[in-house]
Amino acid sequence: VSKATARMAAVAEGSPAASAAAAKEAEYRKDVQKLVDLLSKLNPAAKEFVPSSAAATPRKGLSADAPVFYYGSIGGRNGGIAGYPGADAGYIGYQQRMRRNVYINHGRRRTNERARRADREESIRRTVYVSELDHTVTEERLAETFANCGQVVDCRICGDPHSVMRFAFIEFSGEEGARAALNLGGTMLGFYPVRVLPSKTAILPVNPKFLPATEDEKEMVIRTVYCTNIDKKVTQLDVKSFFEELCGEVSRLRLLGDNVHSTRIAFVEFVNAEGAIQALNCSGMILGTLPVRVSPSKTPVKPRLNRVVSN
Protein backbone atom coordinates (compact mmCIF):
# COMPACT_ATOMS: atom_id res chain seq x y z
CA VAL A 1 0.00 0.00 0.00
CA SER A 2 1.42 3.40 -1.02
CA LYS A 3 1.85 6.26 1.39
CA ALA A 4 -0.93 8.33 -0.24
CA THR A 5 -3.34 5.45 0.05
CA ALA A 6 -2.35 4.88 3.62
CA ARG A 7 -2.79 8.57 4.35
CA MET A 8 -6.26 8.61 2.79
CA ALA A 9 -7.20 5.51 4.76
CA ALA A 10 -6.00 7.19 7.91
CA VAL A 11 -7.99 10.33 7.15
CA ALA A 12 -11.09 8.27 6.39
CA GLU A 13 -10.87 6.84 9.85
CA GLY A 14 -10.62 10.39 11.29
CA SER A 15 -13.19 13.23 11.53
CA PRO A 16 -16.00 13.85 8.93
CA ALA A 17 -14.43 17.24 8.02
CA ALA A 18 -11.22 15.54 7.04
CA SER A 19 -13.13 13.06 4.89
CA ALA A 20 -14.89 15.89 2.99
CA ALA A 21 -11.60 17.69 2.33
CA ALA A 22 -10.08 14.52 0.96
CA ALA A 23 -13.04 14.01 -1.38
CA LYS A 24 -12.72 17.59 -2.75
CA GLU A 25 -9.02 17.10 -3.40
CA ALA A 26 -9.67 13.90 -5.28
CA GLU A 27 -12.35 15.59 -7.43
CA TYR A 28 -9.99 18.49 -8.22
CA ARG A 29 -7.21 16.13 -9.32
CA LYS A 30 -9.69 14.33 -11.57
CA ASP A 31 -10.79 17.60 -13.29
CA VAL A 32 -7.18 18.67 -13.84
CA GLN A 33 -6.36 15.36 -15.47
CA LYS A 34 -9.33 15.74 -17.87
CA LEU A 35 -8.13 19.22 -18.90
CA VAL A 36 -4.60 17.91 -19.54
CA ASP A 37 -5.94 15.13 -21.72
CA LEU A 38 -8.07 17.63 -23.74
CA LEU A 39 -5.21 20.05 -24.36
CA SER A 40 -2.90 17.30 -25.45
CA LYS A 41 -5.21 16.59 -28.42
CA LEU A 42 -4.94 20.17 -29.89
CA ASN A 43 -2.69 20.98 -32.85
CA PRO A 44 0.24 23.03 -31.52
CA ALA A 45 0.80 24.58 -35.01
CA ALA A 46 -2.73 26.06 -35.26
CA LYS A 47 -3.03 29.86 -35.63
CA GLU A 48 -5.51 32.14 -33.92
CA PHE A 49 -8.62 32.87 -36.09
CA VAL A 50 -9.27 36.60 -36.79
CA PRO A 51 -12.43 37.73 -38.71
CA SER A 52 -11.72 39.52 -42.00
CA SER A 53 -13.79 42.55 -40.94
CA ALA A 54 -11.58 43.01 -37.90
CA ALA A 55 -8.29 42.35 -39.64
CA ALA A 56 -6.09 45.46 -39.74
CA THR A 57 -5.09 46.46 -43.27
CA PRO A 58 -1.61 47.80 -43.89
CA ARG A 59 -1.49 51.59 -43.68
CA LYS A 60 0.83 53.39 -46.01
CA GLY A 61 1.97 56.88 -45.34
CA LEU A 62 -0.03 57.18 -42.08
CA SER A 63 1.17 57.93 -38.63
CA ALA A 64 1.43 55.03 -36.24
CA ASP A 65 -0.99 56.88 -33.95
CA ALA A 66 -3.61 57.45 -36.68
CA PRO A 67 -7.01 55.82 -35.94
CA VAL A 68 -8.13 52.88 -38.05
CA PHE A 69 -11.46 53.29 -39.92
CA TYR A 70 -13.34 50.07 -40.63
CA TYR A 71 -15.72 50.47 -43.57
CA GLY A 72 -17.69 47.40 -42.52
CA SER A 73 -18.60 49.09 -39.23
CA ILE A 74 -20.89 51.63 -40.95
CA GLY A 75 -24.51 50.73 -40.39
CA GLY A 76 -23.65 47.97 -37.91
CA ARG A 77 -25.27 48.02 -34.54
CA ASN A 78 -22.02 47.63 -32.63
CA GLY A 79 -19.63 49.00 -35.27
CA GLY A 80 -17.41 51.90 -34.31
CA ILE A 81 -14.40 53.97 -35.19
CA ALA A 82 -11.15 52.82 -33.61
CA GLY A 83 -9.41 55.56 -31.71
CA TYR A 84 -12.69 57.30 -30.79
CA PRO A 85 -14.17 55.51 -27.78
CA GLY A 86 -17.96 55.59 -27.60
CA ALA A 87 -18.45 56.65 -31.24
CA ASP A 88 -20.83 54.45 -33.20
CA ALA A 89 -20.69 54.97 -36.97
CA GLY A 90 -24.02 53.20 -37.54
CA TYR A 91 -25.78 55.35 -34.97
CA ILE A 92 -24.20 58.53 -36.38
CA GLY A 93 -25.38 57.61 -39.87
CA TYR A 94 -28.86 56.86 -38.51
CA GLN A 95 -28.99 60.27 -36.81
CA GLN A 96 -27.96 62.01 -40.02
CA ARG A 97 -30.62 60.20 -42.07
CA MET A 98 -33.32 60.96 -39.51
CA ARG A 99 -32.32 64.63 -39.37
CA ARG A 100 -32.39 64.84 -43.17
CA ASN A 101 -35.83 63.17 -43.31
CA VAL A 102 -37.17 65.56 -40.67
CA TYR A 103 -36.01 68.55 -42.71
CA ILE A 104 -37.56 67.12 -45.92
CA ASN A 105 -40.90 66.26 -44.26
CA HIS A 106 -41.04 69.61 -42.48
CA GLY A 107 -40.44 71.39 -45.77
CA ARG A 108 -43.19 69.38 -47.46
CA ARG A 109 -45.64 70.17 -44.65
CA ARG A 110 -44.86 73.86 -44.86
CA THR A 111 -45.34 73.77 -48.64
CA ASN A 112 -48.68 71.96 -48.31
CA GLU A 113 -49.85 74.35 -45.60
CA ARG A 114 -48.98 77.36 -47.74
CA ALA A 115 -50.83 75.84 -50.70
CA ARG A 116 -53.93 75.12 -48.60
CA ARG A 117 -53.85 78.60 -47.08
CA ALA A 118 -53.55 80.17 -50.53
CA ASP A 119 -56.49 78.10 -51.83
CA ARG A 120 -58.62 79.06 -48.84
CA GLU A 121 -57.83 82.76 -49.18
CA GLU A 122 -58.57 82.62 -52.90
CA SER A 123 -61.91 80.88 -52.17
CA ILE A 124 -62.82 83.56 -49.63
CA ARG A 125 -62.25 86.30 -52.22
CA ARG A 126 -64.72 84.51 -54.51
CA THR A 127 -67.42 84.23 -51.80
CA VAL A 128 -70.08 86.68 -50.56
CA TYR A 129 -72.16 86.66 -47.38
CA VAL A 130 -75.92 87.16 -47.80
CA SER A 131 -78.14 87.92 -44.78
CA GLU A 132 -81.78 88.83 -44.07
CA LEU A 133 -83.11 85.73 -45.86
CA ASP A 134 -86.59 84.51 -44.92
CA HIS A 135 -87.53 80.84 -44.70
CA THR A 136 -89.21 80.80 -48.12
CA VAL A 137 -85.95 81.38 -50.01
CA THR A 138 -84.32 78.17 -51.24
CA GLU A 139 -80.72 77.60 -52.29
CA GLU A 140 -81.82 77.09 -55.89
CA ARG A 141 -83.69 80.39 -55.98
CA LEU A 142 -80.81 82.21 -54.32
CA ALA A 143 -78.31 80.76 -56.81
CA GLU A 144 -80.54 81.74 -59.76
CA THR A 145 -80.76 85.32 -58.46
CA PHE A 146 -76.99 85.70 -58.21
CA ALA A 147 -76.21 83.75 -61.40
CA ASN A 148 -76.43 87.05 -63.33
CA CYS A 149 -73.26 88.18 -61.56
CA GLY A 150 -71.21 85.15 -62.60
CA GLN A 151 -71.07 81.37 -62.47
CA VAL A 152 -72.15 80.13 -59.03
CA VAL A 153 -69.93 77.29 -57.80
CA ASP A 154 -71.68 76.67 -54.47
CA CYS A 155 -74.56 78.10 -52.47
CA ARG A 156 -75.18 77.29 -48.81
CA ILE A 157 -78.08 78.58 -46.67
CA CYS A 158 -77.55 78.43 -42.90
CA GLY A 159 -79.32 79.56 -39.77
CA ASP A 160 -81.52 78.58 -36.85
CA PRO A 161 -84.66 76.77 -38.05
CA HIS A 162 -86.70 78.60 -35.39
CA SER A 163 -85.56 82.02 -36.59
CA VAL A 164 -87.45 83.86 -39.34
CA MET A 165 -84.23 85.25 -40.81
CA ARG A 166 -81.35 83.20 -42.15
CA PHE A 167 -78.05 83.81 -43.95
CA ALA A 168 -76.14 82.22 -46.83
CA PHE A 169 -72.74 81.96 -48.51
CA ILE A 170 -72.42 82.09 -52.29
CA GLU A 171 -69.16 81.15 -54.00
CA PHE A 172 -68.45 82.20 -57.58
CA SER A 173 -65.96 80.80 -60.09
CA GLY A 174 -64.09 84.12 -60.16
CA GLU A 175 -63.53 87.20 -58.04
CA GLU A 176 -65.35 89.34 -60.60
CA GLY A 177 -68.62 87.54 -59.82
CA ALA A 178 -68.21 88.16 -56.10
CA ARG A 179 -67.57 91.89 -56.67
CA ALA A 180 -70.59 92.16 -58.95
CA ALA A 181 -72.77 90.37 -56.35
CA LEU A 182 -72.15 93.19 -53.85
CA ASN A 183 -74.35 95.44 -56.02
CA LEU A 184 -77.38 93.21 -55.30
CA GLY A 185 -77.58 94.39 -51.71
CA GLY A 186 -81.12 95.64 -51.03
CA THR A 187 -82.74 93.35 -53.61
CA MET A 188 -86.14 92.01 -52.51
CA LEU A 189 -85.85 88.24 -52.18
CA GLY A 190 -88.87 86.72 -50.52
CA PHE A 191 -90.39 89.20 -48.08
CA TYR A 192 -87.25 91.15 -47.14
CA PRO A 193 -84.41 93.03 -48.89
CA VAL A 194 -81.18 91.06 -48.60
CA ARG A 195 -77.81 92.35 -47.45
CA VAL A 196 -74.70 91.31 -49.41
CA LEU A 197 -71.21 91.67 -47.95
CA PRO A 198 -67.76 90.21 -48.71
CA SER A 199 -67.38 86.91 -46.89
CA LYS A 200 -64.77 86.37 -44.20
CA THR A 201 -64.89 82.60 -44.46
CA ALA A 202 -64.95 79.98 -47.21
CA ILE A 203 -67.79 77.51 -47.67
CA LEU A 204 -67.01 74.25 -45.92
CA PRO A 205 -66.89 71.59 -48.65
CA VAL A 206 -69.20 68.59 -48.53
CA ASN A 207 -67.59 65.40 -47.28
CA PRO A 208 -66.31 63.67 -50.46
CA LYS A 209 -67.52 60.32 -49.08
CA PHE A 210 -71.12 61.47 -49.53
CA LEU A 211 -70.75 62.93 -53.02
CA PRO A 212 -71.94 60.90 -56.02
CA ALA A 213 -69.17 58.62 -57.23
CA THR A 214 -70.82 56.96 -60.24
CA GLU A 215 -73.07 58.03 -63.09
CA ASP A 216 -75.98 56.20 -61.46
CA GLU A 217 -75.48 58.15 -58.22
CA LYS A 218 -75.29 61.43 -60.15
CA GLU A 219 -78.61 60.56 -61.76
CA MET A 220 -80.00 59.79 -58.29
CA VAL A 221 -78.94 63.25 -57.05
CA ILE A 222 -81.01 64.90 -59.80
CA ARG A 223 -84.09 63.08 -58.44
CA THR A 224 -83.34 63.89 -54.77
CA VAL A 225 -84.25 66.87 -52.55
CA TYR A 226 -82.91 67.87 -49.13
CA CYS A 227 -85.51 68.85 -46.51
CA THR A 228 -84.91 70.67 -43.22
CA ASN A 229 -86.97 72.08 -40.33
CA ILE A 230 -89.06 68.92 -40.05
CA ASP A 231 -91.16 68.53 -36.90
CA LYS A 232 -89.89 65.72 -34.66
CA LYS A 233 -93.42 64.37 -34.29
CA VAL A 234 -93.56 63.73 -38.04
CA THR A 235 -92.90 60.13 -39.06
CA GLN A 236 -91.22 58.82 -42.18
CA LEU A 237 -94.62 57.73 -43.50
CA ASP A 238 -95.94 61.28 -42.98
CA VAL A 239 -93.07 62.75 -45.03
CA LYS A 240 -93.58 60.22 -47.82
CA SER A 241 -97.34 60.84 -47.95
CA PHE A 242 -96.78 64.63 -47.97
CA PHE A 243 -94.50 64.59 -51.03
CA GLU A 244 -96.30 61.83 -52.93
CA GLU A 245 -99.58 63.72 -52.68
CA LEU A 246 -98.04 66.93 -54.10
CA CYS A 247 -95.11 65.83 -56.27
CA GLY A 248 -95.19 62.19 -57.31
CA GLU A 249 -94.00 58.74 -56.33
CA VAL A 250 -91.11 58.56 -53.85
CA SER A 251 -88.61 55.75 -54.46
CA ARG A 252 -86.40 56.20 -51.38
CA LEU A 253 -86.55 58.34 -48.24
CA ARG A 254 -84.21 58.86 -45.31
CA LEU A 255 -85.44 60.73 -42.20
CA LEU A 256 -82.65 61.72 -39.80
CA GLY A 257 -82.47 63.38 -36.39
CA ASP A 258 -80.81 63.36 -32.97
CA ASN A 259 -81.39 64.36 -29.37
CA VAL A 260 -79.53 67.67 -29.73
CA HIS A 261 -81.47 69.45 -32.48
CA SER A 262 -85.15 70.27 -32.08
CA THR A 263 -85.98 69.43 -35.71
CA ARG A 264 -85.09 66.72 -38.20
CA ILE A 265 -83.85 66.53 -41.79
CA ALA A 266 -84.73 64.23 -44.67
CA PHE A 267 -83.48 63.16 -48.07
CA VAL A 268 -86.29 62.33 -50.48
CA GLU A 269 -85.61 60.58 -53.77
CA PHE A 270 -88.36 60.55 -56.40
CA VAL A 271 -88.92 58.10 -59.22
CA ASN A 272 -88.74 60.91 -61.78
CA ALA A 273 -86.71 64.14 -61.86
CA GLU A 274 -89.94 66.09 -62.38
CA GLY A 275 -91.04 65.06 -58.89
CA ALA A 276 -87.88 66.57 -57.38
CA ILE A 277 -88.42 69.81 -59.33
CA GLN A 278 -92.00 69.99 -58.12
CA ALA A 279 -90.88 69.33 -54.53
CA LEU A 280 -88.82 72.54 -54.55
CA ASN A 281 -92.10 74.47 -54.73
CA CYS A 282 -93.17 72.87 -51.44
CA SER A 283 -90.64 74.90 -49.46
CA GLY A 284 -92.50 76.88 -46.81
CA MET A 285 -95.50 74.56 -46.67
CA ILE A 286 -96.56 73.26 -43.28
CA LEU A 287 -95.50 69.67 -42.55
CA GLY A 288 -96.76 68.75 -39.13
CA THR A 289 -96.52 72.02 -37.22
CA LEU A 290 -93.52 73.63 -38.96
CA PRO A 291 -92.82 75.01 -42.44
CA VAL A 292 -90.55 72.59 -44.26
CA ARG A 293 -87.59 73.91 -46.26
CA VAL A 294 -86.73 72.07 -49.48
CA SER A 295 -83.59 72.48 -51.59
CA PRO A 296 -81.74 70.37 -54.20
CA SER A 297 -79.64 67.62 -52.63
CA LYS A 298 -75.90 67.45 -53.15
CA THR A 299 -75.72 63.78 -52.16
CA PRO A 300 -77.69 60.68 -53.16
CA VAL A 301 -79.76 58.59 -50.77
CA LYS A 302 -77.55 55.55 -50.47
CA PRO A 303 -79.17 52.24 -49.43
CA ARG A 304 -78.58 51.07 -45.91
CA LEU A 305 -76.01 48.34 -45.42
CA ASN A 306 -77.29 45.16 -43.83
CA ARG A 307 -75.57 44.63 -40.51
CA VAL A 308 -74.17 41.18 -39.84
CA VAL A 309 -75.41 39.88 -36.51
CA SER A 310 -72.78 37.82 -34.76
CA ASN A 311 -73.69 35.22 -32.20
Side-chain angles (χ1 to χ4, degrees), residues 122 209 230:
E122 196 267 340
K209 294 182 180 179
I230 299 177

Side-chain angles (χ1 to χ4, degrees), residues 81-100:
I81 301 176
Y84 295 91
D88 189 337
Y91 180 69
I92 293 174
Y94 171 77
Q95 277 189 324
Q96 292 174 347
R97 290 192 300 272
M98 289 297 296
R99 190 179 298 113
R100 182 169 60 252

Side-chain angles (χ1 to χ4, degrees), residues 298-311:
K298 296 180 175 66
T299 62
V301 182
K302 296 185 178 180
R304 296 180 183 274
L305 297 177
N306 295 326
R307 296 183 179 179
V308 179
V309 180
S310 58
N311 296 328

